[in-house]
Amino acid sequence: MANKIFLLLISLTSNITCIHGSNGYSHWSPDGIKDLWCPKSSNCNAEPSPIHIDHCCACDALPEWEMLNYSPQYLSLEITNVKGSSRLIQNTIPTNNRITFIHTNGILSMFPENVCNFSIVYVDVSWNQLRSVGNITCLTELDTLIMKNNKVTYISNQTFVGLTKLRIVDFSYNLISKMDYNIFGSIHIMTFTFEGNYLAKLDVSNVLIANKTICGGSYANNRNPIEMTNIGQSFLGEVSGLICGDSDFSNVSINEHPIFTISEKIDQRTIRQYAPCGKGRYSGLAYDCDCKVAEFFHLQYYEFSRIYSKEYSESHCRSPSILENIRIEDLYFNQTLRDYMT
Ligand SMILES: *[C@@H]1O[C@H](CO)[C@@H](O)[C@H](O)[C@H]1NC(C)=O
Ligand SMILES: *[C@@H]1O[C@H](CO)[C@@H](O)[C@H](O)[C@H]1NC(C)=O
Ligand SMILES: *[C@@H]1O[C@H](CO)[C@@H](O)[C@H](O)[C@H]1NC(C)=O
Ligand SMILES: *[C@@H]1O[C@H](CO)[C@@H](O)[C@H](O)[C@H]1NC(C)=O
Ligand SMILES: *[C@@H]1O[C@H](CO)[C@@H](O)[C@H](O)[C@H]1NC(C)=O
């Protein structure tokens, strides 16, 4: 009880601080659930339209505890057996709501058994031995989940259920070979990283998320060639809402560009109406140069290079063999090469 009163006082104080501190920030909530603050220094308001502003804030906005520079309230860990079970311990009464659990380079094989007892906002358990995320539905305040370099093999569409405050996840360099369709379900994630995993199939619902402006996601350096799927059969022109988020497919071999997977029912020249913002990073991306690629050559060069990302440049064909390693940009300009497309 004493604890609760104490926390209540803190949150009142923090609200006041916020009003004072709000000069440099404007309140921003992408979903009516997350309370985020978009820094004015990012100049997001100078973006050309509301969706561009949201995209900018999705990358730069901070939760209140980060903006106020509260010092993290660390939970410590007691390992309870050699197989990696553990319990969390709170040594002192927290002085703010930035409850943080960081335990990297360890032998954790699962989340601490009493993890639900704390209102944790930030978790970093990189470089441990976790094989699955387990059921963390109880972490309703969780904002950031960093699980790099563990041994997770599967992300289910139940994994993030209930984590409505979740903004950032990082599962880079795990052993993920399977991912359900639509892993983020109804939550509004901002940034997700699945770099360096082992996916052979990837559903487009986990890349291009309709109707939720996100900062972006990365599948760079995936170790296997990827086949894109569209299990939900969502197509631009048929789903309501726009697509806006960056994607990173650097150094990935993929059968088709994710945007092709969802755009077969529209005239590609109108792509901008459905996907007005968001950039790709595709350096080192290889894919099949079939007739779907050709459709995009009808785009204006500006739109073409946003989708193919000339800035980061250099995606190339992996098939047909006569076009292997030919840069997509060269295809755009060279009719002779284009005639080889299958
Ligand atoms: C802590 O969690 C355990 C189960 O994980 C539960 O049995 C216990 O009641 C909780 N304690 C508090 C103080 O919430
Ligand atoms: C996760 O745990 C909650 C209770 O904390 C339960 O309601 C839910 O069904 C569990 N989810 C899964 C996928 O087991
Ligand atoms: C979750 O994934 C399973 C298996 O891929 C699928 O059958 C189910 O429809 C999905 N549920 C949601 C809510 O997307
Ligand atoms: C897209 O967002 C709008 C406005 O928030 C909402 O009315 C609509 O139902 C959403 N569509 C889908 C498919 O979620
Ligand atoms: C792509 O691979 C090259 C060579 O392995 C590496 O140097 C580069 O950093 C990778 N790009 C990204 C974005 O990870």
Side-chain angles (χ1 to χ4, degrees), residues 20-307:
H20 290 311
S22 65
N23 288 336
Y25 295 85
S26 41
H27 184 254
W28 180 73
S29 182
D31 51 9
I33 296 169
K34 292 181 185 63
D35 270 321
L36 301 174
W37 294 84
C38 193
K40 292 184 178 155
S41 57
S42 298
N43 253 333
C44 292
N45 283 320
E47 294 286 329
S49 76
I51 191 168
H52 289 84
I53 293 171
D54 280 352
H55 180 237
C56 176
C57 287
C59 297
D60 291 353
L62 300 174
E64 194 170 297
W65 45 263
E66 202 167 332
M67 173 187 131
L68 292 172
N69 275 329
Y70 278 162
S71 43
Q73 308 288 298
Y74 294 108
L75 296 171
S76 45
L77 190 76
E78 173 187 67
I79 301 283
T80 53
N81 84 27
V82 291
K83 290 193 180 140
S85 317
S86 61
R87 289 180 60 76
L88 286 168
I89 302 161
Q90 194 162 48
N91 295 318
T92 50
I93 296 172
T95 56
N96 65 54
N97 57 358
R98 189 172 181 173
I99 313 281
T100 301
F101 165 43
I102 298 178
H103 183 80
T104 55
N105 296 288
I107 59 157
L108 280 191
S109 64
M110 61 193 97
F111 273 91
E113 58 199 35
N114 63 342
V115 72
C116 291
N117 289 5
F118 304 93
S119 249
I120 305 176
V121 296
Y122 184 97
V123 170
D124 185 352
V125 289
S126 299
W127 300 97
N128 277 280
Q129 306 288 323
L130 285 101
R131 287 172 195 281
S132 76
V133 186
N135 186 343
I136 53 168
T137 303
C138 59
L139 297 180
T140 52
E141 294 301 315
L142 189 64
D143 169 270
T144 302
L145 175 60
I146 313 285
M147 286 183 68
K148 292 187 269 200
N149 296 280
N150 277 276
K151 298 193 166 155
V152 177
T153 54
Y154 168 50
I155 303 288
S156 117
N157 55 19
Q158 302 301 302
T159 304
F160 305 115
V161 166
L163 307 185
T164 54
K165 298 275 183 74
L166 194 61
R167 187 172 58 98
I168 297 173
V169 298
D170 188 346
F171 284 84
S172 313
Y173 300 93
N174 275 269
L175 306 175
I176 300 169
S177 59
K178 183 167 185 273
M179 222 182 233
D180 280 347
Y181 148 71
N182 196 16
I183 53 168
F184 295 115
S186 60
I187 70 164
H188 192 144
I189 197 81
M190 300 284 138
T191 306
F192 52 91
T193 310
F194 292 99
E195 254 183 68
N197 279 287
Y198 291 84
L199 291 162
K201 287 191 176 179
L202 173 60
D203 197 77
V204 71
S205 59
N206 298 327
V207 181
L208 303 172
I209 303 179
N211 217 18
K212 287 178 194 153
T213 299
I214 62 169
C215 179
S218 173
Y219 290 92
N221 299 311
N222 191 75
R223 321 288 175 98
N224 287 330
I226 298 181
E227 183 196 331
M228 289 304 301
T229 61
N230 185 357
I231 293 171
Q233 291 290 292
S234 320
F235 294 100
L236 294 178
E238 293 183 355
V239 290
S240 69
L242 304 173
I243 286 182
C244 179
D246 302 338
S247 355
D248 189 344
F249 278 84
S250 303
N251 294 333
V252 171
S253 169
I254 197 166
N255 66 322
E256 63 183 6
H257 191 298
I259 202 105
F260 302 164
T261 313
I262 54 166
S263 58
E264 48 189 69
K265 308 219 166 150
I266 58 165
D267 175 348
Q268 270 76 11
R269 278 167 292 188
T270 63
I271 189 89
R272 196 168 185 181
Q273 283 171 246
Y274 306 98
C277 39
K279 280 187 183 160
R281 273 184 197 219
Y282 300 116
S283 120
L285 173 70
Y287 50 89
D288 299 333
C289 291
D290 55 16
C291 44
K292 283 190 189 168
V293 175
E295 303 268 349
F296 283 84
F297 293 145
H298 300 302
L299 290 173
Q300 293 291 320
Y301 190 67
Y302 167 78
E303 282 300 300
F304 171 82
S305 57
R306 181 168 69 85
I307 288 166

Side-chain angles (χ1 to χ4, degrees), residues 12-23:
L12 287 177
T13 327
S14 69
N15 277 342
I16 293 162
T17 324
C18 247
I19 294 162
H20 290 311
S22 65
N23 288 336

